[in-house]
Amino acid sequence: MVTDTPVTWYYKHLGKKAIVLIAFEKANGKVEYDLDHMRQVAKSSILKGSVFALAAIPAGVIIATATYGLGLLVIPVGFFYAYRSIFKIPGMLRRTTLVNDLANHGVVVQ
């Protein structure tokens, strides 16, 4: 591990607390990226969204039973996170989007 060398990081914000590392530039100027790994991250996001969608109604009903109906507000929140995970995040991590984002920073992807 080398310390005290400048490294440029290319990352993407997926949410308030979620960041995905897209690529990084080494000290010699070579940019390292793995867009196939980003495809796997997008697929796992779709799976996570499906789980959110399937669990939203039962979780809302269980929480509503314990909180005298107030837990029904969990259902729309669960569907919102499902929508984000199924449609928004894979759209942000699509190969063409990432290639265009890296091209805006001057990185040529082959």
Side-chain angles (χ1 to χ4, degrees):
M1 179 175 241
V2 178
T3 58
D4 298 330
T5 58
V7 176
T8 304
W9 301 93
Y10 300 99
Y11 57 90
K12 192 160 198 104
H13 286 278
L14 298 181
K16 290 181 184 176
K17 297 180 182 179
I19 296 174
V20 175
L21 178 65
I22 304 299
F24 62 94
E25 183 176 1
K26 293 183 175 180
N28 61 1
K30 183 174 176 161
V31 177
E32 296 283 331
Y33 55 86
D34 188 9
L35 297 181
D36 291 331
H37 181 68
M38 289 298 113
R39 182 180 300 148
Q40 291 176 348
V41 171
K43 284 182 183 178
S44 69
S45 174
I46 292 172
L47 181 64
K48 183 175 87 169
S50 301
V51 170
F52 272 133
L54 290 175
I57 293 176
V61 170
I62 292 169
I63 295 170
T65 304
T67 59
Y68 301 105
L70 191 62
L72 290 175
L73 297 175
V74 171
I75 295 173
V77 172
F79 283 142
F80 170 73
Y81 282 116
Y83 165 75
R84 247 180 130 290
S85 295
I86 292 174
F87 297 109
K88 289 284 215 169
I89 292 175
M92 287 190 276
L93 297 179
R94 191 176 316 133
R95 181 178 175 84
T96 56
T97 305
L98 293 177
V99 168
N100 290 337
D101 289 346
L102 288 172
N104 289 340
H105 293 289
V107 177
V108 178
V109 178
Q110 287 140 2

